Structures are given as structure tokens and as C-alpha cells.
Amino acid sequence: MNFAIVGPGAIGSLWASSLSHAGHNINLWSRQTDNQLTIQCDNHLPLTLPNNDHQALKNSDVVLVTLKAPFVLSGLKSLVEHIHSDAIIVLMHNGMGTAEPVSSLFPNNPLLLATTTHGAYRPTPQHVLHTGKGNTQLGATNSLGHQCEFIVDVLNNALPTVEWHSNIQQALWNKLAINCAINPLTAINNVNNGTLSQQAYQYDLQQIINEVVEVMHAEAIAVEMQALTKTIQHVIEATAANYSSMQQDIAHRRTSEIDFITGYLIARAKHHQIDVSFNQSLYNSIKQIEQSW
Ligand SMILES: NC(=O)c1ccc[n+]([C@@H]2O[C@H](COP(=O)([O-])OP(=O)(O)OC[C@H]3O[C@@H](n4cnc5c(N)ncnc54)[C@H](OP(=O)(O)O)[C@@H]3O)[C@@H](O)[C@H]2O)c1
């Protein structure tokens, strides 16, 4: 199949490499102006792939968007007339809130949402390291998307494991809940994930979780307080030495995904008239840091 990777950063390069090695044609779309880019994943042979090629983009069967959430809409707006209306668009990023505006931009395309736990790190623009094997969950957000379940086999063959989720909102909310708990606290306090297992953070974590659970219930998303608390504790322990993406973004003075993580929670809470003042204060702290640069 013909795949376009829009935003070939760490995760996008991992997919580009994996899909190419599985025999698919890959073209890249990035803010780099070169008409070819080289990607080397781990110790595989380097791949030279077309970049910003309008014809290759137009011929793409699947457009896999691996931009960070704040850049998805602006990144795709300029591509509207260059993406075929039959192309399956897959949004793969942390956080929520891009599906609706992207769906308005591409009303005739099948639109899928994905969440992944693979770890990828790009020490140089050409080199990506697959730092942790994970799982990718995929599901449809419009009726055309529901006809695209076959794509799971294609993706799973390239970078396992990939699973189809008939209710992708559930999977995205589960991930959002974990991100709401871990990301702002690690970013504000400039600590690794494992530090959150200290007693000093337990009150804050519980406040976040209480509010998240209330909003998830209002959104008709299945969640149980004790189970979610346990899951978050497990993730903190399993990733103790890691720094969250938000901690890294803030430490490197890059725009974080706060608007699509805690910001999305706050927007949905507002819709249901639920008080999420603890999460609101974390959101304000991150915004204050970003605005101080
Ligand atoms: N990396 C992981 O292990 C991992 C795991 C799970 C989920 N995720 C999620 O996957 C998504 C992608 O993460 P990533 O780690 O691959 O990020 P990344 O390495 O920073 O790549 C993001 C891509 O977006 C481009 N980009 C950055 N700023 C931009 C801007 N202002 N305008 C247009 N394009 C811009 C980058 O371009 P350049 O190449 O020019 O910098 C790059 O192609 C995020 O939502 C992240 O939370 C990542």
C-alpha cells in the first residue's frame, strides 16, 4: 500500500521504517524542505524516502499523522487539496480533541484514531531508536472509518501488536486519564515518573483521579476509581526511570500537549458543568510556564 507519514518525528519515523520494511511504499510530509529524507531505525539499513512530494501524497492510500496534537490541525489544513478523498486518515498522538476539527476538514475521508504505547527516541533527525515495544489501539471516528478494520492486519504485520477497538473513545480516555495524572505533575515538578510514587504526591494524584473519573462517567466512559488508581500506580512504577513527554517538552521549552490532555478534560468538564478545579490549577501552572518563555 502507499502510506504518507505526516510529521515523521520519533513515532512517525518508527512507523515509516516498519511499514517500509514490511514492503509498503512510504512518502513523508514534514516541515523539512529537502525533497528526500533519510531514516535509520535501530541498526536497519538507512532508508531514503520522498519528502513533501504532492503526487506521492495524492496517491497515498493511508495518511498516518504522527504530529504532536497542537500541530495536527495546522499541519493538515495546508494538505486538504492534496489528500485523496478515499485516503484513510489515521491520527496517532497523545491527548484528545483533534478528531472533530479534522473530521470537518476531511468530511469524505475515513477517519481513524490511534493510541500507542511503543517507545521511540530520535537522537538525531535521521536516526530513530525503538526504545520500547508496545501496543497500538486503533478505531473509527466516522462511519467510513468503520469500514476500515482491515487496516489492522496491515499495520500489525509491520509493527505489532495492533488491535481494533470498536469503541476507540474508551481507549483514548483510558490513556488520557493516565496522562492527566502523570504529565502535568512531572512537568511542573521537573521529576521522572517514579518520583510520583512518593507519599508527597499521593494527595495530588487522588484529586486528579477523582475529577477525571467524574468527567469520564459524564462522558459515558466506563471507569472504576480503584481500578484507575491501580493502573496509574502501575504505570508510575513500570516507567519509574522515564521522563514524561510533557516534562521533556517543558524542560526543552517546547509547546506541550497540555491543551489536548488536561485542557480536553477541562473542556468536557465545562460541557457537563463539573468542577475540575484541581486539574484547572495544574493546567494554569503549565500555561504560566509556557507563557514565561
Ligand atoms: N515518542 C514516543 O515514544 C511516543 C510514545 C507514545 C506516544 N507518543 C505521541 O506521539 C506523538 C508524536 O510524538 P513524537 O515523540 O514522535 O514527537 P516528535 O519526535 O517531536 O515528532 C513530531 C513531529 O512533528 C513535527 N513538528 C514539531 N513541531 C512542529 C511544528 N511547530 N509545526 C509542524 N510540525 C512540527 C516534528 O518535526 P521535526 O522533525 O522537524 O522536528 C516531527 O516531525 C505525540 O503526541 C506523542 O505524545 C510518542
Side-chain angles (χ1 to χ4, degrees):
M1 292 179 78
N2 297 326
F3 278 83
I5 310 286
V6 177
I11 282 291
S13 298
L14 175 65
W15 276 101
S17 170
S18 305
L19 287 161
S20 176
H21 287 296
H24 301 287
N25 298 317
I26 311 299
N27 71 90
L28 308 176
W29 199 274
S30 84
R31 57 181 173 167
Q32 310 304 320
T33 51
D34 315 56
N35 55 19
Q36 288 188 324
L37 294 178
T38 301
I39 290 178
Q40 182 179 12
C41 183
D42 296 327
N43 295 324
H44 293 292
L45 285 175
L47 302 167
T48 300
L49 300 168
N51 181 48
N52 299 352
D53 178 331
H54 282 109
Q55 198 51 50
L57 182 61
K58 194 87 187 172
N59 293 340
S60 298
D61 306 303
V62 181
V63 178
L64 175 56
V65 184
T66 53
L67 289 160
K68 286 189 171 177
F71 311 117
V72 167
L73 200 55
S74 56
L76 286 178
K77 259 183 187 159
S78 58
L79 302 182
V80 170
E81 60 198 81
H82 304 296
I83 292 177
H84 198 280
S85 62
D86 286 342
I88 303 170
I89 299 177
V90 184
L91 306 182
M92 187 182 289
H93 59 72
N94 274 356
M96 296 175 75
T98 56
E100 233 175 80
V102 170
S103 181
S104 307
L105 269 186
F106 298 93
N108 302 316
N109 288 74
L111 182 60
L112 306 184
L113 306 179
T115 175
T116 187
T117 60
H118 279 283
Y121 171 62
R122 207 167 46 136
T124 70
Q126 290 81 30
H127 203 179
V128 62
L129 302 175
H130 190 187
T131 52
K133 286 194 173 143
N135 164 263
T136 302
Q137 298 191 66
L138 191 70
T141 191
N142 62 8
S143 53
L144 288 165
H146 282 286
Q147 296 165 27
C148 298
E149 193 173 339
F150 69 92
I151 202 71
V152 163
D153 288 339
V154 178
L155 298 177
N156 188 55
N157 189 41
L159 186 59
T161 52
V162 182
E163 288 165 2
W164 184 258
H165 217 293
S166 55
N167 180 7
I168 192 66
Q169 294 299 319
Q170 176 77 55
L172 295 175
W173 267 103
N174 291 345
K175 180 85 186 277
L176 191 91
I178 296 167
N179 286 153
C180 281
I182 296 177
N183 289 21
L185 282 180
T186 51
I188 293 163
N189 297 291
N190 196 21
V191 293
N192 63 14
N193 294 357
T195 306
L196 300 187
S197 60
Q198 292 174 6
Q199 191 55 37
Y201 290 101
Q202 298 320 298
Y203 174 81
D204 290 3
L205 283 171
Q206 206 52 60
Q207 294 296 108
I208 297 169
I209 295 167
N210 291 347
E211 293 179 359
V212 167
V213 166
E214 208 181 333
V215 178
M216 286 175 78
H217 282 157
E219 291 275 288
I221 301 292
V223 63
E224 207 265 306
M225 174 89 69
Q226 267 187 334
L228 179 60
T229 306
K230 240 180 161 175
T231 302
I232 289 169
Q233 280 166 351
H234 172 75
V235 173
I236 288 171
E237 282 161 26
T239 62
N242 296 2
Y243 286 87
S244 74
S245 56
M246 196 175 290
Q247 186 282 335
Q248 292 180 48
D249 284 338
I250 293 298
H252 291 99
R253 298 191 167 205
R254 294 187 300 243
T255 305
S256 76
E257 294 182 292
I258 191 75
D259 282 324
F260 299 84
I261 296 177
T262 309
Y264 185 76
L265 176 86
I266 293 168
R268 296 317 298 158
K270 200 170 173 190
H271 176 80
H272 297 293
Q273 297 182 315
I274 295 170
D275 176 23
V276 287
S277 37
F278 196 86
N279 281 282
Q280 180 73 56
S281 67
L282 296 174
Y283 176 88
N284 295 347
S285 299
I286 296 285
K287 283 291 183 188
Q288 251 170 24
I289 298 170
E290 289 183 348
Q291 280 154 18
S292 72
W293 299 331

